[in-house]
Amino acid sequence: MLEFRIKKEIDGLEMHFNSHIENIDRAVETIMEYVRTKRVLVNCFDLNVVIRELLSNAVIHGNHSDPGKKVSLKLLTDVESLVIIVKDEGQGFNPVQTVKRIDALVQNGMGLTIIKSLGYRLRYCKKEQSVYAEKDLQNDTLKN
Amino acid sequence: MCEDRKMSENEAKIFHPDYDIVTSKCDILKEELLKSFHEGITQTTIDLDKVSVVDSTGLSVLISAHNSLKKNGHTLELINVSENIQKLLSITRLDKHFRISKS
């Protein structure tokens, strides 16, 4: 049984789910529906990709696809910014060290580089064991 | 499912995935590609007309296919590539390696 819980807040939403890759699709669909409903002015393609990269990292690398381990995602939005916070049960990582210059045809390390190239700032909060991806919405290219 | 059409017996094949090439689904394409390589297919084209999103796991599948083809002197061709997917290929510099036709 795939556990998937959603909690809607005034300024965003929160999800908790098991480490199944099917839950990544469900989380993406939930967030896309939320930003459309709330008319958040964000590039939906970029957001879709960023959520997928963060959650794939959490499910596959953080939790090693162990269905007994949980992933949580929090999305916070206002008119100026969008913040995604992802927490898993892994050891954490340093996004500054992990993000490297893309060398085409090397298959590892692309996800975080893509996130940064799409204009999302990445940071890891060791205390919370969470990854933060932040986007200034005023400069985003709007393609909903 | 991956609908595919052979262009010429045992030489070329066009793949036409009707799903996004992302973590949850890219194994379907990976298996189809591996099967065709085992069958001796050399010219490989992937039609992205029905693909809206590709993530880094999906890109890894494309890189693996490209690397397998390159060993035999061939190149992976992507056709009907959307502006958004083209952007990802540019970020990852894969546009320098694959043959790409925009939609």
Side-chain angles (χ1 to χ4, degrees):
Chain A
M1 183 95 181
L2 300 183
E3 183 187 335
F4 194 99
R5 290 187 289 122
I6 305 169
K7 186 180 176 187
K8 293 188 177 174
E9 308 278 2
I10 295 171
D11 58 349
L13 52 84
E14 196 173 333
M15 285 174 263
H16 301 269
F17 50 86
N18 298 103
S19 296
H20 286 282
I21 55 172
E22 293 85 353
N23 279 336
I24 298 174
D25 292 339
R26 191 166 173 191
V28 169
E29 285 165 18
T30 304
I31 290 170
M32 290 301 118
E33 187 186 342
Y34 177 84
V35 296
R36 274 194 297 269
T37 304
K38 295 288 183 181
R39 298 186 180 183
V40 179
L41 297 177
V42 65
N43 183 309
C44 285
F45 175 84
D46 292 0
L47 180 61
N48 188 322
V49 172
V50 167
I51 298 289
R52 287 183 184 284
E53 298 300 345
L54 291 170
L55 293 182
S56 294
N57 192 60
V59 170
I60 297 169
H61 301 295
N63 289 349
H64 303 289
S65 301
D66 178 348
K69 292 186 175 178
K70 300 285 196 314
V71 173
S72 69
L73 182 150
K74 189 181 283 188
L75 177 80
L76 301 170
T77 62
D78 60 32
V79 290
E80 293 182 347
S81 65
L82 179 146
V83 182
I84 307 153
I85 307 162
V86 175
K87 184 175 183 177
D88 59 43
E89 297 185 43
Q91 297 299 309
F93 70 104
N94 183 340
V96 177
Q97 287 177 354
T98 307
V99 173
K100 54 193 175 188
R101 184 171 174 270
I102 278 279
D103 180 11
L105 305 183
V106 173
Q107 299 177 41
N108 296 320
M110 274 191 296
L112 298 177
T113 306
I114 288 171
I115 292 171
K116 292 196 85 172
S117 298
L118 294 175
Y120 285 73
R121 292 186 303 279
L122 272 178
R123 65 184 172 90
Y124 180 72
C125 177
K126 197 172 179 180
K127 188 180 173 186
E128 297 174 14
Q129 291 185 294
S130 301
V131 178
Y132 282 67
E134 298 164 297
K135 175 79 174 176
D136 294 330
L137 296 180
Q138 289 155 328
N139 300 323
D140 203 18
T141 306
L142 303 178
K143 285 178 184 171
N144 291 301
Chain B
M1 292 296 290
C2 184
E3 177 194 333
D4 57 74
R5 289 172 283 136
K6 284 186 181 177
M7 293 164 66
S8 170
E9 194 64 31
N10 288 335
E11 288 180 359
K13 199 167 186 177
I14 297 178
F15 293 84
H16 198 268
D18 56 1
Y19 47 83
D20 290 336
I21 306 176
V22 295
T23 303
S24 59
K25 299 188 183 78
C26 63
D27 278 352
I28 305 168
L29 180 61
K30 187 178 179 179
E31 285 170 18
E32 292 285 333
L33 288 164
L34 280 173
K35 188 181 166 192
S36 78
F37 295 153
H38 289 146
E39 288 172 350
I41 299 293
T42 52
Q43 299 280 18
T44 301
T45 300
I46 303 176
D47 186 341
L48 299 180
D49 183 44
K50 294 181 179 173
V51 177
S52 303
V53 179
V54 180
D55 66 8
S56 63
T57 312
L59 290 174
S60 293
V61 170
L62 302 182
I63 292 170
S64 292
H66 171 80
N67 289 341
S68 297
L69 290 165
K70 199 179 172 185
K71 285 178 189 168
N72 297 316
H74 298 283
T75 308
L76 179 67
E77 181 176 21
L78 304 177
I79 61 174
N80 290 318
V81 178
S82 71
E83 199 175 311
N84 281 323
I85 293 174
Q86 170 69 39
K87 179 169 68 177
L88 290 183
L89 294 170
S90 175
I91 286 171
T92 52
R93 304 186 186 188
L94 293 173
D95 57 345
K96 309 291 184 206
H97 296 270
F98 303 160
R99 278 193 292 152
I100 296 170
S101 302
K102 294 177 185 175
S103 55

